[in-house]
Amino acid sequence: MAESPALPRYLEIQRDLQEKIASGEWGPGSRVPAEHELQALYQCSRMTVNKAISALAGAGLITRRRRSGSFVASPKSHETILQIHDIQAEIAASGRPYRFEILARQSRKMTDEDAKRLGLARSGEILALVLVHFAANRPFVHEERLLNLAVVPDAATESFSAAPPGTWLLGRVPWTDAEHTISAEAADAAIAARLGIPAGAPCLVMERRTWQAGATITWARLTYPGATHSLTSRFSPGGAMT
Amino acid sequence: MAESPALPRYLEIQRDLQEKIASGEWGPGSRVPAEHELQALYQCSRMTVNKAISALAGAGLITRRRRSGSFVASPKSHETILQIHDIQAEIAASGRPYRFEILARQSRKMTDEDAKRLGLARSGEILALVLVHFAANRPFVHEERLLNLAVVPDAATESFSAAPPGTWLLGRVPWTDAEHTISAEAADAAIAARLGIPAGAPCLVMERRTWQAGATITWARLTYPGATHSLTSRFSPGGAMT
DNA sequence: AATCGAATTATGTATAGACAAATAAACGAT
DNA sequence: ATCGTTTATTTGTCTATACATAATTCGATT
């Protein structure tokens, strides 16, 4: 059996087209039949066809131009969606016990260095933290973090005893923009000692800046021992269409 | 004037809602007005409202449940779209002259190591390449690549004199699935020599496997000197809605 | 009180039709 | 032959309506 998928018409069409593109039957640059042709082919209304094609256009598989028609897009890059989970949740999900230690905490007026990291010109109060996250009592990642107290004043009096600042923020302040930078660096002596690795060992470093409506909320720098951590993502173009 | 934005109705609504979510006015879990309410509010048809909300639902900002209604989603992770450009295009875009050198090329029956890298169990013919890409005559990235000749037989006779294998593939074989792994590793002696960096220097390593309809097309391992290269991405949830 | 079932409600899908906007192609005049 | 104008085609948006589907609520029956 398995023959009445109860699959909506527009998804059926969408998958049909997608399959033709994925298989190479319609190579990059080929013309996709016009909406009225597909409408006749599939015996449905134009809106239904439109919904299918528009979805593929949104996913970047097809580009559309008025009067000219729709064409199979030629990929110019690999694109992947990187899911960066909350550290606490990530460790908990792996079944290992989680804890963290705050090594340093300081409220201060923004230094030039702080301002640069937050991407801000003018001054203000910030909260600076240094902490280490542990998975099964072994150091997992080293975190340096700056919080812009102008945007998150509550943080000044928060103890962060229940949840680390990253988790605390995530559930409290909605962000509208984030910038991630991933790089490889040699561990400096201080961080190496805290992570229990040799100085100079390669580390995966992730820097993140987060904004809400133009205002920088926070900056974080996460240093993972390179030997134990990597980022993996699997991706299919036009993925969200089950 | 400047008052006729010519912005379509559904985008206007979409941005309105998005703004309410981004600003925190509608916190995570809040109920979004039902379609018929928004329809009355914006004086438009339900389909128009539906298009706006559906787009936000697709972007993950809203979750919808029949009969219950629509609710602002609560983010559980940072998610970012990593654009990994074609190396040739990336260097060319930076204005520096590009060239590459093929250091090794071998057609062979798949070894166990090859099979593991490609994620395949059984055997077959592959093409193995080692190359270095240069930007402005300085080593930019070291590439090891395996091509599954069962899927891309043309590669066996291709000289790759015009374009490197990555670029060549991108314009030829459509891929349906890709897996990326990003890690930090110390450069081994051979790679360090080819990149002109000290052995043991931290490197950003990106491994990629690419499939077409279940069949592995290629495996690639790109090693970037950590001192000069990083991956950056800026992301706003619900981004693709200009 | 517990359970089953029906009415209600919000979303999901689909239709037919209409007009707008962009632009490639055909056409015409200089 | 070149330039500007008209025409035709294709996508973009919108409407009003209809029925399907899932799920909550509430009432009736046991």
Side-chain angles (χ1 to χ4, degrees), chain B residues 108-177:
Chain B
R108 61 168 179 251
K109 262 200 127 51
M110 215 181 280
T111 66
D112 284 352
E113 176 71 13
D114 294 336
K116 189 183 158 202
R117 287 176 162 175
L118 287 164
L120 293 173
R122 54 186 185 178
S123 217
E125 280 282 319
I126 58 125
L127 175 64
L129 295 163
V130 176
L131 49 156
V132 175
H133 302 260
F134 295 82
N137 275 326
R138 304 194 45 168
F140 182 73
V141 57
H142 180 269
E143 171 176 352
E144 299 161 79
R145 184 176 289 271
L146 301 179
L147 290 153
N148 185 356
L149 290 178
V151 181
V152 209
D154 293 359
T157 56
E158 169 68 33
S159 68
F160 300 115
S161 55
T167 308
W168 182 83
L169 268 176
L170 205 54
R172 175 158 318 225
V173 185
W175 55 276
T176 58
D177 254 284

Side-chain angles (χ1 to χ4, degrees), chain A residues 83-125:
Chain A
Q83 288 231 357
I84 301 157
H85 290 97
D86 179 65
I87 294 169
Q88 178 169 21
E90 182 184 358
I91 294 176
S94 72
R96 291 172 292 177
Y98 168 77
R99 73 183 172 84
F100 68 97
E101 276 177 21
I102 296 181
L103 304 179
R105 175 186 183 133
Q106 185 186 33
S107 284
R108 61 168 179 251
K109 262 201 128 51
M110 215 180 283
T111 67
D112 284 351
E113 176 71 13
D114 295 336
K116 188 182 158 202
R117 287 176 161 177
L118 287 165
L120 293 172
R122 54 186 186 178
S123 218
E125 281 282 318

Side-chain angles (χ1 to χ4, degrees), chain B:
Chain B
M1 291 303 178
E3 201 30 291
S4 81
L7 203 62
R9 206 91 180 78
Y10 77 95
L11 269 185
E12 202 179 314
I13 299 172
Q14 188 174 319
R15 292 179 58 188
D16 246 48
L17 301 180
Q18 195 174 350
E19 205 275 328
K20 290 218 194 289
I21 296 171
S23 71
E25 185 176 338
W26 290 352
S30 338
R31 184 198 193 90
V32 175
E35 295 188 351
H36 68 86
E37 300 180 75
L38 292 172
Q39 171 186 353
L41 181 60
Y42 288 101
Q43 289 292 307
C44 65
S45 81
R46 184 163 81 89
M47 282 301 289
T48 302
V49 169
N50 183 298
K51 190 165 181 177
I53 303 187
S54 293
L56 294 175
L61 273 82
I62 283 179
T63 52
R64 316 192 74 185
R65 288 201 320 278
R66 275 179 182 166
R67 159 72 213 208
S68 306
S70 305
F71 301 87
V72 177
S74 39
K76 289 196 304 294
S77 68
H78 278 270
E79 202 176 72
T80 193
I81 294 180
L82 207 54
Q83 289 230 358
I84 302 158
H85 291 96
D86 179 64
I87 294 168
Q88 178 169 18
E90 182 184 357
I91 294 175
S94 74
R96 292 171 292 177
Y98 168 77
R99 72 182 172 88
F100 68 97
E101 276 178 20
I102 297 181
L103 304 179
R105 174 184 183 134
Q106 184 185 34
S107 285
R108 61 168 179 251
K109 262 200 127 51
M110 215 181 280
T111 66
D112 284 352
E113 176 71 13
D114 294 336
K116 189 183 158 202
R117 287 176 162 175
L118 287 164
L120 293 173
R122 54 186 185 178
S123 217
E125 280 282 319
I126 58 125
L127 175 64
L129 295 163
V130 176
L131 49 156
V132 175
H133 302 260
F134 295 82
N137 275 326
R138 304 194 45 168
F140 182 73
V141 57
H142 180 269
E143 171 176 352
E144 299 161 79
R145 184 176 289 271
L146 301 179
L147 290 153
N148 185 356
L149 290 178
V151 181
V152 209
D154 293 359
T157 56
E158 169 68 33
S159 68
F160 300 115
S161 55
T167 308
W168 182 83
L169 268 176
L170 205 54
R172 175 158 318 225
V173 185
W175 55 276
T176 58
D177 254 284
E179 186 187 76
H180 290 87
T181 300
I182 299 163
S183 59
E185 294 181 21
D188 69 32
I191 292 180
R194 294 176 197 144
L195 288 176
I197 56 175
C203 289
L204 194 64
V205 176
M206 196 168 74
E207 265 183 69
R208 175 191 301 150
R209 265 191 294 201
T210 313
W211 290 267
Q212 187 206 14
T216 309
I217 303 172
T218 188
W219 168 90
R221 180 187 168 92
L222 304 171
T223 306
Y224 296 90
T228 60
H229 200 81
S230 62
L231 295 167
T232 298
S233 72
R234 191 180 282 252
F235 179 69
S236 355
M241 46 188 55
T242 306

